[in-house]
């Protein structure tokens, strides 16, 4: 586990998160990449931030969890940049993604957020 990953995400929840990214890509709105994600957090428009666990060097994404906590925006980790990039509709890896508009995935985002809160409380 990388130092920037503050808590483990169960495999099934990770798959739900990637699915939510895909749904938001198709019916809502995403911001791809660390810079765009950071801007979405700072503007307070991100509904969920997804960070890849295999980012090298990890300093690239280390500021995101703190920023999310400051703005009360839920965030999660997925194991791979490539998986995150693919589910967001690009053929290269993405270190971070912000779901700005969940589109048809609003309910699945709510479920993911409540699961994340339980994981954080347990941790």
């Amino acid at each position: 586990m990388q130092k920037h990953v503050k808590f483990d995400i169960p495999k099934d929840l990770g798959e739900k998160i990637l699915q939510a990214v895909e749904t938001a890509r198709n019916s809502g709105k995403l911001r791809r990449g660390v810079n765009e994600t950071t801007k979405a957090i700072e503007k307070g428009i991100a509904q969920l931030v997804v960070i890849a666990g295999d980012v090298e060097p990890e300093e690239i994404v280390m500021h995101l969890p703190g920023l999310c906590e400051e703005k009360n925006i839920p965030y999660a980790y997925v194991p791979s940049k490539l998986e995150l990039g693919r589910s967001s509709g690009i053929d290269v890896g993405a270190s971070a993604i912000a779901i700005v508009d969940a589109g048809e995935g609003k309910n699945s985002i709510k479920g993911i957020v409540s699961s994340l809160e339980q994981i954080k409380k347990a941790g």
Side-chain angles (χ1 to χ4, degrees):
M1 187 161 93
Q2 301 270 333
K3 281 190 291 234
H4 73 277
V5 177
K6 293 189 173 192
F7 50 88
D8 281 323
I9 300 280
K11 192 173 175 18
D12 62 328
L13 182 57
E15 287 167 9
K16 279 184 191 163
I17 292 166
L18 290 172
Q19 194 65 51
V21 169
E22 229 169 284
T23 304
R25 173 190 87 202
N26 295 328
S27 64
K29 206 170 179 190
L30 292 177
R31 296 284 169 95
R32 295 179 190 88
V34 176
N35 290 344
E36 288 298 313
T37 299
T38 303
K39 287 181 214 166
I41 297 167
E42 286 172 343
K43 289 178 183 170
I45 58 173
Q47 293 177 358
L48 176 67
V49 170
V50 186
I51 305 165
D54 62 350
V55 177
E56 289 287 329
E58 54 193 43
E59 285 75 19
I60 297 169
V61 293
M62 281 177 83
H63 68 287
L64 292 175
L67 202 55
C68 285
E69 285 168 7
E70 195 179 292
K71 297 279 188 180
N72 261 341
I73 294 171
Y75 63 95
Y77 302 97
V78 292
S80 142
K81 287 192 302 193
L82 200 57
E83 280 180 15
L84 186 54
R86 283 200 182 121
S87 57
S88 78
I90 55 177
D91 290 328
V92 292
S95 298
I97 282 180
I99 296 178
V100 176
D101 176 3
E104 292 166 10
K106 281 187 177 69
N107 290 336
S108 67
I109 297 265
K110 282 180 188 157
I112 289 166
V113 169
S114 74
S115 299
L116 290 171
E117 286 166 0
Q118 289 168 353
I119 291 168
K120 282 184 179 176
K121 281 179 191 160

